[in-house]
């Protein structure tokens, strides 16, 4: 199958095809322009985020924190991702998008040239097979009328016996003109037939096959452009994968069990012997009936001590109940933490 062999009478369809492909290329170009803009804005946003984090982290800790180190690496790799995305946007702009813009111009020129050449050869074919033949046929009919008229006048001259030679001469001249025009028409008709065969068998197929070849070359070029676009905009390229691997590795290096070891070493406090809290015996210097660290039980204090004891027992019971409730809450929270931890482990895998 091919344009030259199958699309000789499909000129309008070929024009529509080229118009459709041009619209498609314009759509692809518009999409790529927006993608370049989007990737540049995304890169800029990532960079601004990293800059903001740097400003907020001006206060440095006086101990080594694995969490802080991991977070710093996350920020650094995010900044690296920003640079990669910016580079990709620039490569997309100078590579596929530029080539696509040039292709659109070339395709517009191909269509213009095709239409121009097609109009030229079609006009020539119409001239040879229609216009010139119609002129000859018109002259042919006119000469037939003149010959017939000359013959009638010659017959009349013979019948009357007047100016027969003159009438005969006019008849012969008209007949000669007709015969010469007849030969001219036969030759022109043969030439038109040859021109028509040449047009449909060779000239037009060559033009259409040339168009198909250029169309296919442009499809090949467009395939290369889209392939390059796919590679540039891919989020699974080695450099981007390495960025996320670095981030993942830094997160895995966080060890909750050893996170505060350096903090403890840095801020370790010396053992301090606290002063013993004792009964101030100076309070008893003027009262010999009271003894240090002993409850005074007598008729004066019995009622008060009973009330105090009752109150303390009630508070103890209430405290025990609160403790049981808190213990149940702690167990429930520990269960939720364990479930959440397992969920996070599955996601990280």
């Amino acid at each position: 199958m091919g344009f030259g062999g199958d699309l000789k009478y499909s000129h309008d369809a070929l024009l529509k095809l080229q118009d459709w492909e041009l619209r498609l290329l314009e759509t692809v170009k518009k999409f790529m322009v927006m993608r370049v803009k989007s990737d540049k804005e995304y890169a800029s946003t990532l960079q601004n985020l990293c800059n903001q984090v740097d400003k907020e982290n001006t206060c440095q800790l006086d101990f080594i924190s694995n969490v802080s180190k991991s977070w710093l690496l996350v920020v650094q790799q995010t900044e690296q991702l920003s640079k990669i995305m910016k580079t990709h946007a620039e490569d997309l702009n100078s590579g596929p998008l530029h080539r696509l813009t040039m292709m659109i111009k070339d395709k517009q020129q191909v269509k213009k040239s095709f239409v121009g050449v097609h109009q030229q050869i079609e006009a020539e074919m119409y001239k040879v097979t229609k216009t010139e033949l119609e002129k000859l046929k018109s002259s042919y009919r006119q000469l037939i009328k003149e010959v017939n008229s000359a013959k009638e006048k010659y017959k009349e001259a013979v019948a009357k016996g007047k100016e027969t030679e003159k009438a005969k001469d006019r008849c012969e001249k008209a007949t000669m003109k007709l015969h010469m025009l007849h030969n001219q028409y036969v030759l022109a008709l043969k030439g038109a037939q040859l021109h028509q065969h040449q047009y449909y068998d060779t000239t037009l197929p060559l033009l259409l096959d040339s168009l198909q070849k250029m169309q296919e070359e442009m499809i090949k070029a467009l395939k290369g452009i889209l392939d390059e676009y796919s590679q540039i905009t891919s989020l699974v390229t080695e450099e981007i994968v390495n960025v996320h691997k670095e981030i993942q590795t830094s997160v895995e290096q966080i060890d909750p069990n050893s996170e505060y070891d350096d903090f403890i070493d840095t801020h370790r406090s010396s053992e301090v012997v606290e002063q013993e809290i004792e009964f101030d015996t100076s309070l008893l210097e003027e009262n010999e009936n009271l003894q240090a660290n002993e409850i005074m039980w007598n008729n004066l204090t019995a009622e008060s001590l009973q009330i105090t004891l009752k109150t303390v027992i009630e508070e103890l019971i209430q405290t025990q109940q609160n403790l049981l409730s808190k213990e149940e809450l702690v167990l429930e929270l520990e269960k939720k933490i364990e479930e959440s931890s397992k969920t996070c482990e599955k996601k990280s895998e």
Side-chain angles (χ1 to χ4, degrees):
M1 293 196 303
F3 284 14
D6 300 299
L7 301 180
K8 294 177 185 178
Y9 307 99
S10 305
H11 183 67
D12 290 342
L14 285 170
L15 294 182
K16 289 180 181 178
L17 172 66
Q18 292 176 85
D19 288 338
W20 177 82
E21 289 181 340
L22 280 168
R23 288 195 300 272
L24 176 63
L25 292 179
E26 290 289 353
T27 300
V28 176
K29 178 183 176 182
K30 183 179 179 181
F31 177 86
M32 285 192 184
V33 169
M34 295 300 295
R35 181 59 189 263
V36 169
K37 181 182 178 183
S38 175
D39 284 359
K40 284 184 177 180
E41 289 176 350
Y42 178 55
S44 177
T45 300
L46 288 179
Q47 185 61 56
N48 290 337
L49 285 173
C50 295
N51 293 342
Q52 187 64 34
V53 169
D54 288 341
K55 291 179 181 178
E56 294 175 356
N57 285 351
T58 52
C59 179
Q60 299 296 325
L61 297 173
D62 57 356
F63 70 95
I64 299 173
S65 168
N66 287 330
V67 171
S68 178
K69 288 167 62 178
S70 295
W71 170 241
L72 179 60
L73 195 144
V74 168
V75 174
Q76 290 173 343
Q77 290 302 316
T78 301
E79 186 173 17
Q80 178 63 21
L81 179 61
S82 169
K83 294 177 181 178
I84 292 172
M85 295 303 296
K86 182 180 179 182
T87 300
H88 285 187
E90 292 170 349
D91 291 345
L92 182 59
N93 187 57
S94 62
L97 183 54
H98 174 71
R99 288 166 56 197
L100 182 62
T101 301
M102 299 305 296
M103 175 183 284
I104 290 173
K105 292 181 179 178
D106 291 342
K107 195 165 186 64
Q108 289 171 337
Q109 185 58 47
V110 166
K111 182 192 174 187
K112 182 179 179 181
S113 299
F114 169 71
V115 171
V117 173
H118 186 272
Q119 287 177 343
Q120 181 182 350
I121 62 174
E122 190 177 51
E124 182 66 22
M125 203 268 290
Y126 189 85
K127 176 185 175 183
V128 173
T129 61
K130 299 289 185 182
T131 307
E132 292 182 352
L133 288 180
E134 287 300 325
K135 287 181 180 180
L136 289 172
K137 286 193 290 184
S138 178
S139 299
Y140 202 119
R141 292 189 183 96
Q142 182 62 34
L143 283 176
I144 288 177
K145 290 179 180 180
E146 292 179 4
V147 168
N148 290 335
S149 176
K151 285 181 178 179
E152 288 296 325
K153 289 180 180 180
Y154 175 67
K155 288 179 181 179
E156 291 176 2
V158 171
K160 293 178 179 180
K162 294 181 179 180
E163 298 182 342
T164 55
E165 289 299 325
K166 188 176 181 181
K168 182 180 178 182
D169 183 60
R170 281 199 299 267
C171 184
E172 289 178 349
K173 286 182 178 179
T175 302
M176 182 180 66
K177 285 183 180 180
L178 176 61
H179 290 174
M180 291 177 63
L181 183 63
H182 172 83
N183 292 338
Q184 187 179 353
Y185 175 67
V186 170
L187 292 173
L189 187 63
K190 189 62 177 178
Q193 291 170 348
L194 291 173
H195 191 99
Q196 187 178 54
H197 290 314
Q198 179 72 16
Y199 177 82
Y200 285 110
D201 293 345
T202 305
T203 307
L204 184 58
L206 281 175
L207 175 63
L208 296 178
D209 286 339
S210 297
L211 175 64
Q212 182 179 359
K213 185 176 180 180
M214 286 186 283
Q215 292 275 110
E216 291 171 347
E217 287 296 324
M218 287 187 173
I219 293 297
K220 181 179 178 181
L222 179 60
K223 180 180 179 180
I225 289 172
L226 293 177
D227 182 61
E228 188 178 1
Y229 167 85
S230 174
Q231 293 178 25
I232 291 174
T233 58
S234 173
L235 298 179
V236 292
T237 57
E238 185 177 357
E239 53 185 353
I240 293 181
V241 171
N242 288 339
V243 165
H244 289 285
K245 280 185 178 179
E246 289 291 333
I247 291 176
Q248 184 63 37
T249 300
S250 70
V251 173
E252 291 173 354
Q253 288 176 348
I254 296 176
D255 181 9
N257 296 324
S258 62
E259 170 64 18
Y260 297 106
D261 288 352
D262 185 72
F263 177 81
I264 293 171
D265 289 338
T266 302
H267 299 280
R268 188 185 301 277
S269 56
S270 303
E271 192 69 30
V272 177
V273 179
E274 300 293 339
Q275 185 178 358
E276 195 71 31
I277 301 175
E278 297 180 349
F279 192 101
D280 189 353
T281 56
S282 64
L283 297 173
L284 303 177
E285 290 177 356
E286 298 181 4
N287 193 329
E288 297 178 355
N289 293 329
L290 300 174
Q291 300 295 322
N293 298 315
E294 291 186 8
I295 297 295
M296 176 57 73
W297 178 273
N298 55 31
N299 293 335
L300 299 176
T301 63
E303 184 178 356
S304 173
L305 287 172
Q306 289 291 345
I307 294 172
T308 301
L309 177 61
K310 181 180 178 182
T311 302
V312 169
I313 291 173
E314 291 175 351
E315 290 179 352
L316 176 61
I317 293 172
Q318 184 63 43
T319 301
Q320 288 174 336
Q321 292 176 347
N322 290 339
L323 181 60
L324 287 173
S325 176
K326 296 293 184 183
E327 286 177 347
E328 291 175 357
L329 181 60
V330 166
L331 289 174
E332 185 178 348
L333 290 174
E334 286 179 345
K335 184 179 179 181
K336 289 183 178 179
I337 290 173
E338 184 178 357
E339 291 175 353
S340 177
S341 177
K342 289 180 179 179
T343 302
C344 290
E345 288 177 358
K346 289 181 179 179
K347 288 183 177 180
S348 65
E349 292 174 356

